[in-house]
Amino acid sequence: MKISVALCTFNGAKYIKEQLNSILDQTLPVDEIIICDDLSTDGTFEILSDYQKNNPEILRIFQNEKTLKSVKNFEKTISLCTGEVTFLSDQDDYWYPEKVEIFINKFKEDTAMLAFCSNGFLMDENSKIMNDYFTKWDVYEKYSESKPNFEMFNFITQKGNFSTGATMAIKTEFAKSVFPIPQLQDFHHDEWLTLLATVDGKMGFIPQKLINYRVHSSQQVGGIAFHNDSNYFKEILSYFNFNNDTDDFKSIKSRIKAQVQWHNKFLINFKSNTTQFKFLRNKFLDEYNKNIILMKQKFGIKYFLVSIIDKLTNKRQLK
């Protein structure tokens, strides 16, 4: 199985060596590392050129003619990959030596899967593990242990994307088939790939912590860390307590509200990707209607009253 890495850089000189060294030091070597630099001005491209000279059979580097920014740069980089599986990589993290081998074994064990993501540690700007925090990956791991049949799609559309690109590997042919990635505010390439992989339940989660994910002041995408004394995990358990005696009216109403917000902010803007839009919309409506039916069954009178008020005030309405 040929293995690719898609790595995007922009002014990443400070940490790119640490990232590249960890990729090159895998127990299962990768076949190619495709890097697209988004017009760095801090010497990043020169560092990449030196690595290419020392690893000409593995590294292929490109410098964009104009700034593409994260989403379109990753789309370009993945498009240049020729492996069966492509690992997505940030420019400032650290991969544990067994990462690639564990992922590839997962793909071989279940050939129908389109993608996997893993858990990971947080590290600071000095490469020290941040033990005072837990992550959305930790939350998903604990939740999936208690509810193994829970669908990832619901987590993404109701609580946000847990599958950070830095922890992700995907079948290359599948990724290329769902391009172009929609360009929307606060919407990223990893969320698009995760959404489409989870529609049919073909994305898996690996509980091992296989990367150190860097958190620092100049980071473009963050928001995955919570302090250890946070109640976020407890809130998640309550929020997704489907078909349970303790699944109260407030929880169901919150889920419906989140679904409507996700639909009105993102889904209605995916229409340019016609085929993918149909898949996503059908899946979304199935899950949305489950919550509506559940509310009707458990809280019929409350549902009737709230639905009338919502229509009058234009709240929780699909556009």
Side-chain angles (χ1 to χ4, degrees):
M1 181 182 289
K2 186 175 181 179
I3 305 166
S4 300
V5 175
L7 197 162
C8 293
T9 58
F10 176 70
N11 289 345
K14 186 174 181 180
Y15 300 113
I16 189 61
K17 291 181 181 180
E18 184 177 358
Q19 176 72 87
L20 280 173
N21 288 340
S22 72
I23 296 174
L24 291 169
D25 194 30
Q26 291 292 301
T27 56
L28 178 63
V30 302
D31 296 288
E32 64 177 11
I33 304 173
I34 308 299
I35 306 174
C36 289
D37 181 72
D38 212 21
L39 296 177
S40 294
T41 57
D42 67 342
T44 298
F45 191 75
E46 289 72 23
I47 294 173
L48 296 175
S49 297
D50 288 339
Y51 269 82
Q52 186 181 43
K53 290 175 184 177
N54 293 325
N55 303 274
E57 72 287 356
I58 299 176
L59 263 72
R60 293 169 58 205
I61 62 173
F62 303 84
Q63 191 163 49
N64 299 332
E65 295 181 358
K66 63 178 181 178
T67 301
L68 296 179
K69 297 189 176 180
S70 179
V71 172
K72 286 302 173 184
N73 200 21
F74 264 105
E75 184 177 300
K76 174 185 175 180
T77 310
I78 295 168
S79 297
L80 293 169
C81 291
T82 61
E84 185 177 345
V85 170
T86 294
F87 286 78
L88 308 188
S89 176
D90 287 352
Q91 64 184 359
D92 54 3
D93 299 328
Y94 169 84
W95 291 11
Y96 285 94
E98 66 276 15
K99 172 181 173 172
V100 170
E101 185 172 7
I102 290 173
F103 268 81
I104 295 302
N105 285 339
K106 289 291 184 181
F107 278 111
K108 289 180 177 179
E109 289 169 9
D110 191 343
T111 57
M113 296 300 276
L114 296 172
F116 285 95
C117 61
S118 77
N119 205 334
F121 293 103
L122 297 178
M123 68 176 174
D124 63 19
E125 292 179 307
N126 298 312
S127 300
K128 292 182 179 180
I129 302 298
M130 300 168 63
N131 292 315
D132 293 337
Y133 293 84
F134 67 95
T135 69
K136 193 173 285 189
W137 312 317
D138 294 320
V139 173
Y140 188 84
E141 178 189 351
K142 292 177 181 178
Y143 192 82
S144 60
E145 286 175 355
S146 62
K147 295 185 178 295
N149 295 322
F150 176 74
E151 293 198 34
M152 291 182 179
F153 184 86
N154 287 325
F155 198 105
I156 299 166
T157 57
Q158 297 176 44
K159 268 299 181 185
N161 185 28
F162 65 91
S163 175
T164 307
T167 72
M168 189 174 180
I170 193 161
K171 293 281 185 69
T172 310
E173 184 177 353
F174 165 72
K176 293 179 181 181
S177 74
V178 299
F179 292 161
I181 301 170
Q183 290 184 279
L184 302 172
Q185 185 176 357
D186 301 324
F187 188 77
H188 304 284
H189 60 282
D190 47 12
E191 186 166 3
W192 178 246
L193 295 171
T194 301
L195 274 171
L196 292 166
T198 58
V199 168
D200 292 324
K202 293 182 179 180
M203 182 164 187
F205 181 78
I206 300 172
Q208 290 104 311
K209 297 194 174 191
L210 299 177
I211 75 163
N212 291 343
Y213 180 83
R214 195 177 306 277
V215 178
H216 52 86
S217 57
S218 61
Q219 189 171 356
Q220 183 185 8
V221 180
I224 65 163
F226 308 91
H227 200 271
N228 284 339
D229 60 7
S230 168
N231 289 321
Y232 186 75
F233 176 60
K234 189 181 294 184
E235 292 170 4
I236 287 284
L237 285 178
S238 173
Y239 187 89
F240 284 118
N241 206 5
F242 287 104
N243 298 311
N244 227 312
D245 292 336
T246 58
D247 198 357
D248 59 19
F249 180 79
K250 182 179 178 181
S251 295
I252 303 172
K253 188 171 74 169
S254 295
R255 293 201 296 267
I256 293 172
K257 179 181 178 181
Q259 286 176 308
V260 170
Q261 289 175 339
W262 183 84
H263 174 278
N264 293 346
K265 185 176 182 180
F266 295 123
L267 184 59
I268 60 174
N269 293 303
F270 294 160
K271 291 183 179 179
S272 59
N273 300 69
T274 307
T275 303
Q276 288 77 34
F277 171 75
K278 290 178 181 177
F279 283 127
L280 286 172
R281 181 167 175 78
N282 289 340
K283 177 65 175 177
F284 168 82
L285 290 176
D286 285 345
E287 299 301 329
Y288 173 77
N289 287 328
K290 285 179 185 177
N291 278 328
I292 295 294
I293 292 169
L294 184 61
M295 183 181 276
K296 285 181 179 178
Q297 291 175 340
K298 297 191 72 171
F299 308 100
I301 296 176
K302 279 188 176 181
Y303 168 77
F304 176 74
L305 293 173
V306 167
S307 62
I308 292 177
I309 294 172
D310 283 353
K311 286 180 181 178
L312 291 174
T313 58
N314 200 31
K315 290 174 63 178
R316 286 180 285 274
Q317 302 297 300
L318 298 179
K319 291 182 180 179

